[in-house]
Amino acid sequence: MNSGVELAPHRFAGLVAPAVDRTFVAGMLAGRDGGGAELSQRYGGPAATGFLVEFRTRLAAPGGTVDGAGFAAVTRYRDPAACQRALDKQVAHGMIVRQPDGGFAATERGTDFLTEIYQVHGEVTEELWAGHDDRVLRLVEAFGRLLAYALLLAGEPDAEPTPAFATMAPPYEPDGTPPGVLLLNRLGTLRYHRADAHAAAWTAAGHTASSISELPEGPERRAIELETDRRAAGPYAALTAEERLAVLADLAALPG
């Protein structure tokens, strides 16, 4: 098999990213339509729950907090003042509490919401991916290994900073978490590793969050994407070329 060449880690990083995005977004949309939106309304709507959903895998953990730098990294493409106003609204709704370092944590009410959103995601992913149990379990195992290796690499002395990934990883996985939720949250967490790689790539190319958002398709953007693939490739060395091929096949076969 020649997959050792075709699916080298940097090549795989570029191929798997859209497959991860598709599967993750499908799960999140199913969660919204399958009870998440109704649940959010019970707690005050998106203005009360937005960041709880986004940061759920950190805030649901006992003592889980998001610090100011991590929040800025995750929201790097959004207007900082608007993000702070949104946080203020969620504080006013009693869903989060601010920390002295500019970060935040979930209140008891916020934690109750997070417990329920995990349940919703368990129900909808079971339905969305029904009949694909073995495939889901294979992907859960593969992305568990990828996350573990990404965390290991991030802890090395000469590692490039990965502030968004460090904020979100590892995802909170209480005992009994359904496989569909494990997969959804592991996919979502690993996306932040690529997000940091992309930010490092466009920063090295002299861009800002604003200018890269406006950069049209063309040679410069393509070069930045290739550099992103290179920087995002590290964790994928945890899989063999054959395993990388299997991950792509399993992601492609999941409904959504």
Side-chain angles (χ1 to χ4, degrees):
M1 176 181 290
N2 293 324
S3 60
V5 176
E6 284 86 348
L7 287 181
H10 70 283
R11 293 287 303 278
F12 181 73
L15 291 171
V16 78
V20 167
D21 288 348
R22 181 194 72 85
T23 307
F24 173 75
V25 170
M28 292 301 292
L29 289 177
R32 183 196 66 188
D33 297 339
E38 180 182 350
L39 172 64
S40 176
Q41 287 301 324
R42 287 202 283 110
Y43 281 86
T49 63
F51 285 129
L52 282 170
V53 175
E54 185 170 3
F55 291 89
R56 68 194 178 284
T57 57
R58 169 56 63 92
L59 296 178
T65 61
V66 174
D67 65 26
F71 180 68
V74 171
T75 60
R76 55 170 62 97
Y77 298 106
R78 288 171 254 176
D79 176 64
C83 287
Q84 292 301 317
R85 289 194 296 271
L87 280 176
D88 289 340
K89 290 179 182 178
Q90 289 169 52
V91 170
H93 279 278
M95 302 298 284
I96 62 171
V97 59
R98 286 190 179 273
Q99 303 291 314
D101 67 356
F104 57 95
T107 62
E108 183 176 351
R109 178 175 169 81
T111 300
D112 289 343
F113 168 79
L114 290 169
T115 298
E116 291 192 64
I117 202 67
Y118 264 65
Q119 293 170 351
V120 167
H121 287 166
E123 294 166 1
V124 298
T125 55
E126 182 179 11
E127 180 178 351
L128 178 64
W129 297 324
H132 296 268
D133 294 357
D134 290 347
R135 185 166 284 118
V136 168
L137 289 174
R138 286 196 299 268
L139 289 168
V140 165
E141 191 276 334
F143 279 92
R145 287 162 57 197
L146 291 171
L147 281 174
Y149 195 49
L151 284 164
L152 181 67
L153 293 175
E156 292 184 350
D158 58 347
E160 290 187 354
T162 53
F165 179 67
T167 298
M168 298 303 223
Y172 179 53
E173 299 176 346
D175 290 344
T177 301
V181 177
L182 294 176
L183 178 58
L184 180 70
N185 291 343
R186 290 179 184 184
L187 291 173
T189 303
L190 196 62
R191 292 171 83 231
Y192 290 104
H193 183 274
R194 183 175 180 85
D196 285 330
H198 186 51
W202 54 249
T203 298
H207 281 280
T208 65
S210 177
S211 68
I212 191 63
S213 298
E214 299 172 356
L215 183 67
E217 293 297 330
E220 185 180 5
R221 178 170 282 282
R222 179 59 181 160
I224 290 171
E225 291 302 324
L226 290 173
E227 177 63 9
T228 299
D229 293 343
R230 186 189 70 80
R231 292 172 182 263
Y236 299 116
L239 303 178
T240 66
E242 289 75 17
E243 287 172 329
R244 292 172 211 145
L245 183 64
V247 164
L248 284 175
D250 281 337
L251 286 172
L254 284 184

